[in-house]
Amino acid sequence: VEPATLHILCRTMEAATDLLQVAITCGFRESGISLSSSQKIMVAVRTTSNSMEAPLVHRCTLLATEAHLTHLVEEGNRRLRSNLATLDRFEQALLHGERSLGSSSQRQAQDGAAGSALI
């Protein structure tokens, strides 16, 4: 299970800082701000809290029993639901303006890249 990662290009450092606070509050604990050499301000919204890895095969030999595979699928589904709930909290926080996103106050314009937005 891979948790969601969003990269959001921000117009100002103030907007980036506000967006980062919303992301962290909603459960994206490993989020941060990156500054490029061209002065672009990017917020990476991410967390690893619901990731899941488990070896299942080694040298063409199945390592897990059917019961273990069933457990892994159930746990993976639980973590996926948790990831979706975290994304939903983040979306609702942005839509309802729980924090002002700098002076732009929630202006968004798609910059054409998948998974990216300009705030």
Side-chain angles (χ1 to χ4, degrees):
V1 176
E2 290 288 330
T5 299
L6 305 170
H7 294 97
I8 304 168
L9 186 61
C10 296
R11 296 176 196 263
T12 66
M13 184 56 81
E14 179 186 8
T17 302
D18 289 346
L19 181 61
L20 178 61
Q21 287 303 312
V22 172
I24 290 170
T25 299
C26 291
F28 290 100
R29 289 177 246 143
E30 290 83 21
S31 298
I33 298 173
S34 298
L35 301 173
S36 72
S37 59
S38 62
Q39 301 302 312
K40 290 183 180 177
I41 305 166
M42 182 77 65
V43 176
V45 178
R46 60 182 172 244
T47 186
T48 58
S49 65
N50 284 311
S51 62
M52 185 173 110
E53 295 181 22
L56 301 176
V57 175
H58 179 69
R59 296 186 181 180
C60 299
T61 302
L62 183 63
L63 300 175
T65 64
E66 187 172 335
H68 187 73
L69 288 174
T70 299
H71 170 72
L72 289 174
V73 168
E74 289 169 356
E75 180 63 18
N77 286 334
R78 185 192 67 73
R79 289 175 186 230
L80 181 60
R81 285 189 298 274
S82 181
N83 284 330
L84 293 173
T86 302
L87 277 170
D88 187 54
R89 278 193 307 276
F90 184 61
E91 178 184 30
Q92 293 305 311
L94 294 177
L95 290 174
H96 293 19
E98 290 182 10
R99 299 195 34 86
S100 169
L101 296 179
S103 60
S104 62
S105 186
Q106 291 190 325
R107 282 184 302 189
Q108 291 187 9
Q110 291 299 325
D111 70 355
S116 297
L118 180 64
I119 295 183

